[in-house]
Amino acid sequence: MAKYICMGVLQKSGEFNGKPYDNMILQCLKANPDGFGMEVEPIKVKTALVPDVFDKPMTAQDFKNLVGMNLTVYFGKFNVVDTVIVNDPAESIADTFMRV
C-alpha cells in the first residue's frame, strides 16, 4: 500500500513489440523518504482493469475528478495495481506527506 496525490491522468495506447497496449497513467506525487520534498511517480492501470481497480466503470469526468485527490494504492502480484481508493482531499499536501 502507498499514499499518493493524483496530479494528472493520461491514457496511452498503441503497439509495442507487435502487441497492443492500452493503459491509464495516473501522474502522482508521493513522499520522498530519501530526500526532500516529494517524488513524481506514474501509476499504470491497464484500461481493461479500470472497473476492477476502482470498483466501478470510470468516465472521462471521473478521471478528471481524480486530479488533486488523495489516493491509497494497493499493489498485488508483480507490483501490479490491484485497488485504488479515492480519499477525501480535505488534508493538504503538506499534511499528507510531511508527517513524521
Side-chain angles (χ1 to χ4, degrees):
M1 179 214 38
K3 296 207 177 264
Y4 298 93
I5 295 176
C6 183
M7 301 307 292
V9 180
L10 173 67
Q11 184 172 14
K12 283 189 162 183
S13 60
E15 196 171 295
F16 182 74
N17 288 339
K19 295 181 181 179
Y21 67 89
D22 186 6
N23 299 312
M24 296 305 295
I25 310 294
L26 307 178
Q27 300 292 339
C28 296
L29 296 175
K30 71 174 193 170
N32 181 358
D34 298 323
F36 301 100
M38 298 191 294
E39 288 183 52
V40 177
E41 182 174 317
I43 305 296
K44 179 174 76 171
V45 178
K46 291 185 185 294
T47 302
L49 298 179
V50 163
D52 295 331
V53 169
F54 286 92
D55 202 30
K56 68 174 188 170
M58 297 283 283
T59 65
Q61 186 62 45
D62 290 331
F63 278 110
K64 184 178 178 182
N65 291 340
L66 286 179
V67 176
M69 299 295 280
N70 295 324
L71 306 177
T72 303
V73 180
Y74 292 88
F75 298 91
K77 193 173 183 180
F78 304 115
N79 214 25
V80 173
V81 175
D82 184 55
T83 304
V84 175
I85 297 173
V86 181
N87 301 304
D88 186 356
E91 293 184 319
S92 71
I93 291 172
D95 290 340
T96 301
F97 290 113
M98 300 305 172
R99 288 191 198 121
V100 176

